[in-house]
Amino acid sequence: MASNEPLEAERRCILTRASGPRAELIRLALGPAGEVAADLGEKLPGRGAWVSADRALIETAMARGQLQGALVRALKQSPVRVSETLADDIARGLEKRILDQLGLCTRAGLLVWGHERISDALGKGRVVLLLHAADAGEDGSGKLEMKRRAACPDSQSRVLPFDRGTLSVALGRGNVVSAAIVDAGAAARVRAALARWVAYQGLDARSADGPGMTGMEDEAPTAVAGGVDERHETRLI
């Protein structure tokens, strides 16, 4: 019996020719003067082409002139201008999308910050996702992690790729070191944005060691059928 659920539209990378879900690729939009820009929101008008969300792949293709050639063929226009900072522009754009999601959570009242407020939310079993700035001290974040495991065993946690200063500005609050999301849908959107950034940077979700990031994984994650139970992990995304 055929399923009535819509299938996610796939896109093909112009570099590898491999197809995949849109979340694993990045749209490059063609501007009116032949310039190409990353369209992370997939809303820019005009023709576009798709590349895998893989920084190393993009940088290598740019260095060899392969990206420009692939764009000319895909977009059927010449010349096509590709900025030398395209790879960095994509990284900054993906980071901004993480921060934008956190800002939306704050404005919707779905994010809690401050050690005491987070502890209270944990005690009430409300926390779905616990977040720590990249420069969070092990003492404070460690205490919150202990309480999270005990009070919210189905929750998850992540170390963000931002320091407390960047996080504080994004949330419009002073000195935010850790934050907690108390809504499942909002937490899923933040996790997805973080996962896309990690994949683009080529980092391992468990052991990536980015600037200012330190490992905070549990000693013995619980194995489950089909993978690893993430409920008790603090992962670097």
Side-chain angles (χ1 to χ4, degrees):
M1 183 175 178
S3 172
N4 293 324
E5 295 182 3
L7 297 176
E8 181 181 6
E10 293 194 340
R11 295 293 184 268
R12 177 176 292 181
C13 173
I14 61 173
L15 295 173
T16 66
R17 309 305 298 170
S19 297
R22 294 161 69 135
E24 295 178 4
L25 292 97
I26 291 170
R27 184 176 187 265
L28 300 179
L30 180 66
E35 73 280 8
V36 171
D39 179 19
L40 300 177
E42 301 171 15
K43 294 180 180 179
L44 293 178
R47 285 175 288 174
W50 296 78
V51 294
S52 298
D54 182 333
R55 180 171 188 151
L57 173 71
I58 293 172
E59 289 181 332
T60 299
M62 289 178 63
R64 295 176 178 175
Q66 295 170 336
L67 178 60
Q68 189 165 15
L71 284 167
V72 168
R73 291 189 294 273
L75 299 172
K76 297 180 173 59
Q77 175 165 323
S78 181
V80 170
R81 296 203 302 274
V82 180
S83 170
E84 295 180 357
T85 64
L86 178 64
D88 288 335
D89 294 342
I90 293 173
R92 285 191 291 268
L94 292 174
E95 291 173 0
K96 183 178 183 301
R97 291 179 73 82
I98 299 170
L99 292 170
D100 286 347
Q101 284 293 332
L102 294 175
L104 288 173
C105 290
T106 303
R107 291 190 290 275
L110 304 176
L111 185 143
V112 178
W113 67 95
H115 193 96
E116 292 185 4
R117 293 189 184 95
I118 295 174
S119 293
D120 181 65
L122 286 168
K124 294 177 180 177
R126 298 179 60 215
V127 174
V128 180
L129 180 63
L130 181 59
L131 304 167
H132 304 290
D135 58 347
E138 293 185 9
D139 181 50
S141 59
K143 290 178 180 178
L144 290 175
E145 283 301 315
M146 290 178 62
K147 189 162 188 176
R148 178 185 70 83
R149 296 184 185 99
C152 298
D154 292 325
S155 66
Q156 298 179 354
S157 61
R158 300 288 189 270
V159 176
L160 295 166
F162 314 110
D163 61 21
R164 67 186 70 189
T166 302
L167 183 59
S168 299
V169 171
L171 302 184
R173 302 291 185 271
N175 195 32
V176 179
V177 180
S178 297
I181 297 176
V182 297
D183 176 80
R189 290 188 289 274
V190 170
R191 284 197 303 266
L194 284 163
R196 198 176 192 201
W197 178 85
V198 166
Y200 176 74
Q201 297 286 34
L203 302 176
D204 185 276
R206 292 177 180 277
S207 59
D209 187 15
M213 298 166 70
T214 55
M216 296 175 59
E217 295 203 32
D218 291 345
E219 295 180 1
T222 305
V224 295
V228 176
D229 187 345
E230 296 182 341
R231 293 176 299 175
H232 299 288
E233 297 179 35
T234 300
R235 296 169 58 186
L236 295 175
I237 56 175

